Amino acid sequence: MKSTLAAGLTHTCRWTVDTARTIGFMGEEARVYSTPALIYDMEITSRELLLAHSDDGEDSVGTRVEVDHMAPTLLGQWVDLTVTIEEVKGPAVTFSFTARDNLDNIAKGVHKRFVVNVAQTKGRLAAKAEKLKAL
């Protein structure tokens, strides 16, 4: 990680709520931004901020999410997701986040990520895959 990674940094991404980001189980007229899509978009926004302050060969993985999804966002609306780094403890990074559409504050929460070496992570995953083959 670069020395520029510090508490207080923020990043915002605007996401358009397309059909893939909505629930469909209540019918077409009730399609709204799903909580899993909100979490995914927040993780990508957080990762983008970290990548701007990562060294070559580093990336990050999510380790915790706490979310309050407080208001619906309709199909076709946009959402601004803003993440703020609250704490950096070695490779562990804690974010707060907010989400807002053009009418409401729709979500808030906490997200934790861990900065990893990509090559080492691939090695650990390959070792786990080998263990599965042995079962």
Side-chain angles (χ1 to χ4, degrees), residues 29-50:
E29 64 282 356
R31 282 196 174 272
V32 294
Y33 195 28
S34 72
T35 302
L38 165 72
I39 292 168
Y40 179 81
D41 293 343
M42 179 274 304
E43 284 203 81
I44 296 301
T45 303
S46 299
R47 180 177 174 262
E48 285 182 5
L49 176 54
L50 282 179

Side-chain angles (χ1 to χ4, degrees), residues 43 61-65 93 111-114:
E43 284 203 81
V61 294
T63 61
R64 184 172 178 84
V65 176
V93 182
H111 179 45
K112 295 186 179 196
R113 297 190 72 76
F114 198 84

Side-chain angles (χ1 to χ4, degrees), residues 15-18 72-79 101-104 106:
W15 302 90
T16 299
V17 179
D18 57 13
T73 301
L74 304 176
L75 178 64
Q77 280 188 282
W78 53 259
V79 171
D101 63 27
N102 55 325
L103 295 175
D104 297 305
I106 65 156

Side-chain angles (χ1 to χ4, degrees), residues 10-122:
T10 66
H11 181 59
T12 301
C13 287
R14 179 166 284 185
W15 302 90
T16 299
V17 179
D18 57 13
T19 302
R21 285 186 165 86
T22 63
I23 62 167
F25 54 82
M26 292 194 305
E28 291 303 309
E29 64 282 356
R31 282 196 174 272
V32 294
Y33 195 28
S34 72
T35 302
L38 165 72
I39 292 168
Y40 179 81
D41 293 343
M42 179 274 304
E43 284 203 81
I44 296 301
T45 303
S46 299
R47 180 177 174 262
E48 285 182 5
L49 176 54
L50 282 179
L51 285 174
H53 300 275
S54 295
D55 292 321
D56 289 340
E58 290 180 331
D59 209 318
S60 65
V61 294
T63 61
R64 184 172 178 84
V65 176
E66 299 172 31
V67 62
D68 294 320
H69 197 166
M70 307 170 299
T73 301
L74 304 176
L75 178 64
Q77 280 188 282
W78 53 259
V79 171
D80 280 343
L81 260 158
T82 300
V83 298
T84 302
I85 295 178
E86 298 295 334
E87 182 178 57
V88 178
K89 278 189 173 179
V93 182
T94 302
F95 297 84
S96 62
F97 69 90
T98 59
R100 164 164 195 79
D101 63 27
N102 55 325
L103 295 175
D104 297 305
N105 291 318
I106 65 156
K108 64 181 179 177
V110 175
H111 179 45
K112 295 186 179 196
R113 297 190 72 76
F114 198 84
V115 176
V116 297
N117 176 285
V118 174
Q120 288 175 349
T121 300
K122 286 180 179 179

